[in-house]
Amino acid sequence: GIQGATIYIKDEDTGSGDDDIAIIKTDSSGRFSIQWTAKNMDPFDSVVEIYAVFEGSQNYDRARSIQINVVVN
């Protein structure tokens, strides 16, 4: 892991740009965690498609996590 890396937690949206859920930094071990209360992020869609992304740096390439789909009623 990379210490102090900026991680973006996002909701994927086709066509309209992804929504930011949170922006966090990794700890000294390169790990991160977040608590999030499920809420509808898009008035046209009841599924929140969550993923984490590191946009890269001078020394490291961009990396994206798997996507987790959460249904919000």
Side-chain angles (χ1 to χ4, degrees):
I2 305 168
Q3 178 181 355
T6 301
I7 306 297
Y8 298 88
I9 309 299
K10 296 187 172 245
D11 168 36
E12 185 170 278
D13 288 329
T14 304
S16 63
D18 296 349
D19 298 317
D20 287 331
I21 294 173
I23 301 171
I24 54 179
K25 294 271 188 184
T26 59
D27 65 16
S28 61
S29 300
R31 297 177 182 268
F32 65 92
S33 65
I34 183 172
Q35 290 185 358
W36 175 69
T37 302
K39 65 179 180 177
N40 196 335
M41 300 294 292
D42 186 345
F44 306 108
D45 185 8
S46 63
V47 178
V48 182
E49 300 94 351
I50 300 172
Y51 68 94
V53 64
F54 169 65
E55 294 294 351
S57 67
Q58 183 177 6
N59 299 318
Y60 299 98
D61 290 335
R62 183 181 191 276
R64 179 181 163 149
S65 72
I66 63 168
Q67 181 173 299
I68 299 172
N69 296 336
V70 177
V71 177
V72 180
N73 293 321

